[in-house]
Amino acid sequence: MREDPSDARGSRSPIAALGSTVLRGLSELGQATLMLAAALRWMLRGRLEIRETLVQLNRIGVESIPVVLITGAFAGMVLAFQTARQLADFGGQGFVGGLVGLSIAREAAPVFTAITAAGRVGAGMAAEIGTMAVTEQVDALRVLATDPVRYLVVPRLIAAALALPILTAFANVVGGTGGYVVATAAGISGGAFLSSLQRFLWPYDLVVGLIKAVFFGLIIASVGCYRGLHATGGADGVGRATTGAVVVAIVLILIFNYFLDLIFF
Amino acid sequence: MGAVIEPQSSGTPDEAVIVASNLWKSFGSTVALAGFSLEVRRGEIQVIMGPSGCGKSVLLKHLVGLVKPDRGEVLVFGQPVHAMSDHELDALRIRIGVVFQSAALFDSLTVAQNVAFPLRRHRTLSKEEIAHRVRELLLLVEMAGTEDLMPAALSGGMRKRVGIARALALDPPLILYDEPTSGLDPLTAHTVDDLVLRLRAELGVSSVVVTHSLDSAFRLADHLAVMDSGRLTTSGTPEEILASTNPFVRRFLDTRAIEVRPK
């Protein structure tokens, strides 16, 4: 499924290639699980790197706000644009606010925010840690009796798990506002939009959206860190780790999104 | 000379800081170490020479537990590095300084923060004490005044010296150097060599220096080991190595001599 140019042993039979891909996938899954287990042990022991976590929180959270505001606003606007047009044909103006609000809170805000963050933050983590790995800095950490999982992975996991729901909340607000503006411009009255919103959108929807965002944050950080720590082969390897991190994170976000929906709704 | 020494693991841990016996390690189909054995005694500078890709760097990684051997054992300060948990390794690593080939400075931290890194994590010192110690260490490697620079702003030689300062921060009784003078101009290389010698003379530090610079090797070594394809070819004092009749050692020495002569 994943493309790995380092695996140029493609001259074998397709079945062998498939087999080796599956095996590699499983072994990576195993290693990633071990990394997360180690991270969890550090968290449970309460041995946290406060400074590093704050640095990451700033990088993942604060610095992502502008781009999340833009994607969130436009996601809300396009939803309102389509919903208002489609429903107006059936005389369903009273449903526009609710539908837009629900779509934003449950799906659009958490998923678009996560995908944006995967591109911005996940790639950044893979590139930064990957560069450290190929320039012996990760080895240097180990030799200085500092577990890279504790020093590099745990702060990023925590920061991403905290930042993503907050960013998603921002996306909810700007998405809703953008939706309101576009819907009223398309002829839906402001009062109808808001009362519909009130009727259909429950706090539960907002909360589940934020909970999903926590999972997405964990996915982005684990994939970014794992890919970075296992980067090999100089700049080329870092490049591959970076693109790999983004693609895998986005795919996992969409898959998890579906199953989380099954659980929560 | 018949001085092909095959150290036995029976060396007393009192005397030997490092005992590596019969180490084997492969990465896929590449054999990096093929039955390598070596003993390093306290207070000695052990130089390991050999062509690129002969397994020198992999050997160093075995000594600090960054890589585990497929077979064989490594004792450092009498402790079995090959069989220790991460937690036990951390306790041991605090007593070993490692100077990486690329210096491996953390590029998100300043020079001072790099040197202070091990102090912050493993000592309980006040801010002033740390700053004082950092200044002391930078002075030792002739890098005073660079505290606030980022590693990216330093030349290769400067980075290496900061790397040495960081490795020395916790006063380790054993220091491992991976190509400490490669890529340095002859003058800086000399400074680094002098530093290695001084640490041994003043602090009695034991050192393992991996290098392919014959110049450094013969300046530094109390004992020299020549490595080829993951094996120990010859080991002995510098004089013994110079007198060696082993064809590989001769070839290694001769090629280098030709490179050096025209200067």
Side-chain angles (χ1 to χ4, degrees), chain A residues 45 49 51 128 131-132 135-147 150-151, chain B residues 61 64 66 90 93-94 98 100-102 104-107 113 117-118 121-122 166 178:
Chain A
R45 270 191 257 167
E49 306 279 342
R51 228 183 83 96
E128 187 187 7
T131 305
M132 291 184 73
T135 56
E136 298 183 305
Q137 291 177 58
V138 171
D139 279 345
L141 277 178
R142 290 204 179 93
V143 163
L144 293 168
T146 301
D147 181 7
R150 176 183 172 190
Y151 186 75
Chain B
K61 288 187 174 169
V64 276
L66 285 176
D90 279 350
R93 284 169 178 163
I94 289 176
V98 180
F100 286 88
Q101 189 169 354
S102 62
L105 300 181
F106 303 124
D107 30 49
Q113 287 168 332
F117 189 89
R121 301 194 71 84
H122 304 298
R166 186 178 68 184
D178 192 358

Side-chain angles (χ1 to χ4, degrees), chain B residues 61-76:
Chain B
K61 288 187 174 169
H62 277 81
L63 299 182
V64 276
L66 285 176
V67 177
K68 305 252 164 158
D70 298 335
R71 252 193 300 147
E73 31 179 61
V74 188
L75 301 179
V76 176

Side-chain angles (χ1 to χ4, degrees), chain B:
Chain B
M1 74 159 198
V4 180
I5 300 163
E6 282 294 335
Q8 300 298 304
S9 59
S10 56
T12 52
D14 268 356
E15 280 248 334
V17 185
I18 297 173
V19 182
S21 29
N22 196 27
L23 289 179
W24 289 79
K25 180 71 187 178
S26 322
F27 297 98
S29 55
T30 334
V31 179
L33 294 177
F36 185 89
S37 301
L38 183 76
E39 207 174 299
V40 180
R41 268 177 242 126
R42 194 176 302 278
E44 238 182 38
I45 299 179
Q46 169 76 53
V47 172
I48 300 172
M49 277 193 303
S52 306
C54 72
K56 295 171 302 205
S57 295
V58 173
L59 173 70
L60 276 195
K61 288 187 174 169
H62 277 81
L63 299 182
V64 276
L66 285 176
V67 177
K68 305 252 164 158
D70 298 335
R71 252 193 300 147
E73 31 179 61
V74 188
L75 301 179
V76 176
F77 303 123
Q79 291 176 277
V81 175
H82 57 282
M84 288 163 80
S85 69
D86 286 344
H87 186 68
E88 294 168 319
L89 272 177
D90 279 350
L92 179 72
R93 284 169 178 163
I94 289 176
R95 301 170 61 200
I96 306 176
V98 180
V99 178
F100 286 88
Q101 189 169 354
S102 62
L105 300 181
F106 303 124
D107 30 49
S108 57
L109 305 179
T110 64
V111 166
Q113 287 168 332
N114 263 284
V115 177
F117 189 89
L119 297 168
R120 287 234 175 83
R121 301 194 71 84
H122 304 298
R123 297 272 186 276
T124 40
L125 298 173
S126 70
K127 256 195 175 138
E128 293 72 36
E129 287 170 313
I130 288 180
H132 177 76
R133 177 82 179 124
V134 167
R135 221 172 306 124
E136 209 174 74
L137 286 161
L138 288 177
L139 207 62
L140 186 72
V141 296
E142 300 179 19
M143 287 291 293
T146 59
E147 277 88 344
D148 297 327
L149 296 179
M150 298 305 283
L154 303 179
S155 72
M158 293 163 98
R159 252 181 260 176
K160 220 153 232 181
R161 280 183 280 163
V162 175
I164 294 176
R166 186 178 68 184
L168 294 176
L170 299 175
D171 296 313
L174 170 64
I175 304 180
L176 313 178
Y177 300 87
D178 192 358
E179 307 274 5
T181 55
S182 77
L184 300 189
D185 64 273
L187 243 114
T188 317
H190 227 71
T191 323
V192 170
D193 285 347
D194 285 341
L195 186 64
V196 177
L197 288 169
R198 222 163 80 213
L199 288 169
R200 195 265 313 263
E202 290 171 14
L203 304 169
V205 171
S206 316
S207 318
V208 177
V209 182
V210 159
T211 183
H212 46 224
S213 150
L214 277 187
D215 238 24
S216 285
F218 283 95
R219 282 195 71 209
L220 296 177
D222 295 316
H223 269 93
L224 257 167
V226 181
M227 227 179 143
D228 182 33
S229 330
R231 258 189 220 93
L232 186 67
T233 308
T234 308
S235 122
T237 62
E239 294 73 30
E240 285 171 327
I241 296 293
L242 278 176
S244 168
T245 52
N246 180 302
F248 176 77
V249 176
R250 289 271 38 116
R251 228 173 52 225
F252 193 71
L253 294 182
D254 289 348
T255 46
R256 295 305 164 133
I258 290 165
E259 273 177 29
V260 169
R261 229 171 262 149
K263 283 185 189 171

Side-chain angles (χ1 to χ4, degrees), chain A residues 8-25:
Chain A
R9 292 162 289 179
S11 54
R12 289 173 308 170
S13 78
I15 295 179
L18 180 68
S20 80
T21 307
V22 169
L23 282 180
R24 208 177 49 239

